[in-house]
Each structure stands twice: as C-alpha cells, then as structure tokens.
Amino acid sequence: MTAILELKQKMKEFYGEHDTWILPLLKFVLAFVLFKGINSYMGFSDKMDNIFIVLILAVLCSILPLNAMTAIACVIVVGQCYSVGIEAAGFALILMILLMILFLRFTSRENLAMVLTPIAFRIQVPAAVPIGCGLLRGISSAVPAGCGIVLYHFMRLIKDKAALLQAKDTEIVKKLQILLDGLVKNYEMWLTVLVFIIVVIVVFLIRKLPVNYSWRIAIVAGAVVYILAMTMGSMVLRVQLDMTSVIVNTVLSTIISFVLEFFVLGVDYSRSEVTQFEDDEYVYYVKAVPKALITGKQKSVKTISNEEEEYEEPKFEREPKVQQEPEEISVPPVMAVDSAEIDFEKQLEESLKDL
Amino acid sequence: MLNERKIKKMRKMASFEAGEGKSDLAITNYYRSDYIGLGLIKNFFLITFAYVLMVGMYLGYKSEYLMENLHKMNLITFGATFIVLYVAMLFLYSVVTYIYCSVKYSKAQDGIQHYYKDLNQLKKLYDREEKKAGRETGRRKNV
C-alpha cells in the first residue's frame, strides 16, 4: 500500500511539474483512440481511416477544448456513414444536430462523457462511465453519457445494416425506415440509457452522504444497481442480454472505479477527527478526514573511505558579488599615479597664481 | 521596484480572465433579464429548427402510409396535432432554458465577485504606490 501511495505522490508531483504538456498529450491520446476506434469499428471509408488524417485531427484536439473532440468525432461518424450512402450520412447529420440542440447544449462542460461512452462500450466496461460520472461530476453528466449510448448504438446499427443500406434497389424511404426503426425500436439502447441515468443518480447521491467510505459504498451500490436494473429491465422489455458478460463487465468497471477513487480521493478514514465548536450564530459539527499522503523518503548519501582523513572545517566561501559593469565611457585612459609623490599644496598655489 | 503582492494579484486575475472567468465575464456584461431573454430567443430558433427536422423525418418515415391514406385523414386534426406538439415542446424547452440561464447567470455572478474584489484591492495598491511616488518626488496630486 505504501508503495502505491508513493507512486501516487510521485505521479502527482510529476503532473504538477509538467502539466503544460501532459494535459495536451492525454487529450491527444484520447482523441487518437476515439477516432481510430470509430474508424476501425465502422470501417467503411479508407480516407477517414488514413493514419495521417487521424493523427492531424488528434493533434488538433490536443490544443482545442474537449468539446471540439466531440464535434470532430461526430464529423468522422458522418463521414463513415457517407461511404455507406448519402441517406445514412444525412440521417447521421440530423441525429447529431438533434442531439446537440435538444441535449448537449445544456451540458457543455460534461461532454467528455459522450466521448468516453463509446470507448467504454468497445473495451467492455460500460458501467465505468455512469459510476465515474456519479463520482467525479454531477447528475447532469448522465445526459451526454446517454447521448454517447445513442451514438454507439447508431454506429452498431449502421454496421449491422450496411448491406441493406448500400443496396441500390433499396428505396430512400425504406432506408429511412430501417434507420429510424433501428434506433427507436432498439429497446436495449433505451434500457441502457435508463440504467445509466439511474446509476449516475444513485452513485452521486451516495457519494455526497456524510458517512465513512461513501465513495466506495457508492461504487459498489452503483455496480449492484447496474446489474439489477439491467436484469429487471431486460425481463420487462424482453431484451436478450448475456447476463454473464454484464456481470463480468460490471466487476471490471468496479475495479476501474476503485482505481479512480484511489487516485482522485484517497483519504484515510481511520484518522478522521470530529470536532465541535461554535460562534455567536452557529454551532459547527466538523468532521475532518485526512488524505492518505506519504512523504517521500529522504535519501542520505554517506561516503565511506578507507583512508583516514583529517576533519576539515567546512569553508563557506562567499560568492563574489556580481557587479554591474560600468558603462564604457570614451575618455582617455589615465595612468596610475602614486598619490604620495604629488605635492598638492604646491600645485594648489600654482593654480591660484594663474587665477 | 517590483511589487510582489501586486504581481501575484495580477497573475491570479489574468489566469481567471483567461480560464473560467472568460465566460463569466461575458455573461455578466448583460443584465440578468437581457441574458435570459437572449437565451430564450436562441432557444426559440433552435427548437423550431429541431422540430422541423423531426417532423421532416416523421413525414419521410410515414410517407407511404400518408400517400395511401391522405384522402381519408382529417387534415385539420393532423395539422393541429403538430402545432400542439410544437407548442408543448417549445414551452418545455423554454422552461428548461430559463432555469439553465438563471443558474448560469447566478454562478457567473458568484465567480465574478472575487474578481471584482481583487480588482479593487489592485486599484488600492496602485493608488498607494502613486501616493508614495508623489511623496518621494514632491509632486502633489491635482485636486
């Protein structure tokens, strides 16, 4: 445990020293993973999947705000859909516009959740997003997370129905019906959206409780609620879900959430103190929980030599003051004159005579 | 001579102006009623646009059915349904926008209060410095 705490401390110090380039680098990596993930998942357009385009877009995202990453991800999805057909691209564009107008414009500071949701689905840890949102952000982050679910299921729909959508004999109206039915009648998607909202609310409310280990209780409660809600929802809505994978994925998400809790909060409840004091107007009941910190080991270097050396008192040499060099003045150099040889009285008399 | 206190305060204010204070300063340039009003006007246009897109998609989706049954349908009821839905959606989003803008404005005001406090302290520092400089050079402030 001490080693992990030391590692955390070192990471914090490292981040504190180099945050100017670490943050853009993390944004670059996230953007690269997201864009590459979208391209490899859909894989209809080779132009979009060009590594140079992905790299350039990721570099752009590293210097732009996070919302730009969301917008560029949407553009890539539309571009991929364009390779399937103009109808699919048009539908994707309308869907993105509707999501932005109806939901995302109210949660501009939480839109990272929308980007993270498809990634979490791809790496099989979807429950990590609502638990993480409940821990680190507020209830409003459920909105972009829900939009992320819609985006992920839309990409899956395009991938599944690509053959039908690309067929030339399929009418435009038929294609529109396939796309709209695929989204509106996708009960698995709606169930996941509903479960995400419930989990975010549960985790957020428990995390805010003034009890010991509230974050850990919130994580476990969120995971349990996720599994229960998915199970019950799938029975009510008659959605076929592989419950084993749901449970395994939720356990993995719980582990990720615990790691998150350790790095973000990391408090030591065993050393918590409760104090009470008052002023003229209020009585204060304060509970102070110290953070689990560890001071870095101070390394002392001891030089051992075989030869006996006489102890010498350390000499503290005063560093020479850096004097400002006088500006060069264009006067003729004056010869060094010994002042003892000059008779000043005589010279003064002579000069008075001249006067 | 460099005034360390002044520099620290100016750095703090500059980072606020460049960071989260940027939007707060832009918001508090408006009166509360003007800011909310502007938000509601924007909301009106955005919701109208979104509704047109949604209706367009719905009509496209149901186009086959409409072509076959349009002559049997009561077009007034059909049109009225769209209008009622539009008004309901506009009303719902107007309420949401009103709450959102109110909360955003009050949060921006809270954030900006510290900024103005720092600004006042900075002004006092400047005044003090000016007074001191005047005393040293023997200048007097014109009244």
Side-chain angles (χ1 to χ4, degrees):
Chain A
M1 191 65 186
T2 318
I4 303 170
L5 277 171
E6 255 182 57
L7 178 73
K8 179 189 167 184
Q9 198 70 19
K10 275 180 190 170
M11 280 172 77
K12 275 176 111 173
E13 279 168 16
F14 186 76
Y15 179 77
E17 281 174 25
H18 307 281
D19 65 329
T20 43
W21 61 267
I22 289 178
L23 205 61
L25 182 73
L26 287 176
K27 277 162 82 176
F28 169 80
V29 171
L30 182 66
F32 184 78
V33 169
L34 177 72
F35 301 156
K36 198 72 194 147
I38 292 170
N39 284 330
S40 62
Y41 186 67
M42 297 183 85
F44 299 113
S45 168
D46 292 335
K47 285 175 191 167
M48 280 289 191
D49 203 12
N50 188 328
I51 189 76
F52 291 109
I53 290 176
V54 174
L55 276 173
I56 289 166
L57 291 175
V59 169
L60 269 177
C61 287
S62 69
I63 50 169
L64 291 172
L66 274 170
N67 283 343
M69 199 188 295
T70 317
I72 291 173
C74 292
V75 171
I76 291 177
V77 172
V78 174
Q80 286 283 355
C81 290
Y82 185 74
S83 299
V84 176
I86 190 131
E87 301 85 7
F91 187 87
L93 191 66
I94 291 172
L95 182 71
M96 305 298 167
I97 291 170
L98 286 178
L99 286 180
M100 285 193 185
I101 291 176
L102 300 180
F103 304 110
L104 295 174
R105 72 185 162 116
F106 296 114
T107 55
S108 53
R109 287 185 183 177
E110 322 279 349
N111 287 350
L112 183 65
M114 181 181 169
V115 171
L116 290 176
T117 309
I119 296 175
F121 270 100
R122 282 284 284 156
I123 57 172
Q124 305 291 324
V125 282
V129 176
I131 296 174
C133 286
L135 289 178
L136 305 178
R137 311 298 300 179
I139 292 172
S140 60
S141 58
V143 174
C147 293
I149 298 168
V150 174
L151 187 68
Y152 172 73
H153 281 274
F154 175 70
M155 288 193 291
R156 209 166 81 171
L157 173 73
I158 294 286
K159 199 183 172 190
D160 292 345
K161 306 280 181 188
L164 262 174
L165 293 168
Q166 280 172 324
K168 284 181 182 173
D169 54 341
T170 315
E171 289 175 12
I172 295 173
V173 177
K174 189 74 189 161
K175 286 178 184 175
L176 182 64
Q177 283 173 348
I178 291 167
L179 289 168
L180 216 51
D181 281 340
L183 269 187
V184 177
K185 292 177 183 170
N186 186 348
Y187 295 115
E188 188 189 338
M189 182 184 86
W190 295 120
L191 173 65
T192 319
V193 171
L194 189 69
V195 173
F196 263 49
I197 293 168
I198 293 169
V199 172
V200 170
I201 293 170
V202 167
V203 172
F204 179 77
L205 292 178
I206 296 176
R207 191 256 288 180
K208 284 279 181 186
L209 288 177
V211 293
N212 284 0
Y213 305 102
S214 59
W215 278 53
R216 289 177 194 175
I217 297 168
I219 292 169
V220 175
V224 171
V225 167
Y226 185 85
I227 294 170
L228 284 177
M230 285 301 265
T231 314
M232 289 172 74
S234 62
M235 283 193 287
V236 173
L237 295 172
R238 290 175 189 169
V239 177
Q240 281 199 335
L241 284 176
D242 181 9
M243 285 321 293
T244 319
S245 69
V246 169
I247 292 167
V248 172
N249 295 346
T250 312
V251 170
L252 282 174
S253 306
T254 311
I255 294 166
I256 291 171
S257 305
F258 274 119
V259 173
L260 202 67
E261 185 260 349
F262 174 76
F263 278 102
V264 176
L265 184 71
V267 290
D268 185 1
Y269 282 104
S270 62
R271 291 189 291 130
S272 57
E273 290 173 30
V274 180
T275 54
Q276 185 185 335
F277 52 91
E278 62 181 77
D279 60 9
D280 295 343
E281 292 170 5
Y282 294 98
V283 177
Y284 300 91
Y285 298 93
V286 178
K287 183 180 181 183
V289 186
K291 284 192 174 180
L293 290 173
I294 194 157
T295 48
K297 285 176 190 171
Q298 285 186 342
K299 287 173 185 171
S300 58
V301 180
K302 198 175 181 182
T303 318
I304 301 164
S305 59
N306 293 331
E307 293 170 14
E308 276 187 25
E309 285 175 3
E310 278 186 22
Y311 176 74
E312 281 182 26
E313 266 193 38
K315 287 175 185 173
F316 298 101
E317 285 180 8
R318 190 182 288 171
E319 278 188 23
K321 275 186 183 176
V322 180
Q323 284 183 339
Q324 214 174 356
E325 284 187 21
E327 283 179 22
E328 280 183 27
I329 305 160
S330 59
V331 288
V334 180
M335 295 261 300
V337 186
D338 191 359
S339 57
E341 290 174 4
I342 300 168
D343 190 354
F344 286 106
E345 268 182 40
K346 204 176 179 181
Q347 280 193 359
L348 185 68
E349 275 173 18
E350 277 175 13
S351 60
L352 283 169
K353 275 176 194 170
D354 292 340
L355 277 170
Chain B
M1 203 176 138
L2 294 175
N3 186 340
E4 204 176 309
R5 204 174 149 205
K6 203 172 82 182
I7 292 168
K8 275 182 186 170
K9 205 154 275 297
M10 283 166 82
R11 190 213 64 80
K12 190 182 159 195
M13 286 168 67
S15 75
F16 178 77
E17 278 170 23
E20 61 184 67
K22 205 173 180 180
S23 61
D24 289 356
L25 282 165
I27 290 168
T28 47
N29 278 338
Y30 294 95
Y31 287 112
R32 186 177 175 275
S33 54
D34 287 354
Y35 180 69
I36 294 172
L38 201 68
L40 286 171
I41 290 168
K42 270 187 205 168
N43 175 64
F44 169 77
F45 286 111
L46 286 172
I47 290 300
T48 307
F49 181 60
Y51 191 74
V52 168
L53 287 178
M54 284 160 76
V55 169
M57 278 173 83
Y58 177 77
L59 292 179
Y61 180 77
K62 289 275 182 187
S63 58
E64 281 177 1
Y65 173 82
L66 289 171
M67 294 293 255
E68 284 169 16
N69 299 294
L70 200 63
H71 60 284
K72 293 182 216 165
M73 287 166 66
N74 186 349
L75 288 177
I76 295 168
T77 318
F78 189 63
T81 314
F82 280 117
I83 292 167
V84 168
L85 282 173
Y86 170 67
V87 172
M89 192 174 159
L90 192 62
F91 176 75
L92 180 74
Y93 270 90
S94 297
V95 171
V96 173
T97 308
Y98 182 85
I99 295 167
Y100 174 74
C101 289
S102 304
V103 172
K104 210 174 169 187
Y105 192 85
S106 61
K107 273 187 183 173
Q109 266 189 329
D110 287 346
I112 221 81
Q113 267 178 0
H114 293 285
Y115 176 76
Y116 281 131
K117 204 177 162 187
D118 284 344
L119 209 62
N120 274 330
Q121 283 175 354
L122 192 69
K123 193 182 172 296
K124 275 179 191 166
L125 280 174
Y126 267 108
D127 287 349
R128 207 176 297 159
E129 243 176 38
E130 211 170 280
K131 218 181 220 177
K132 204 177 166 187
R135 206 182 294 149
E136 277 172 6
T137 54
R139 280 192 290 119
R140 277 189 187 175
K141 213 172 184 182
N142 293 329
V143 183

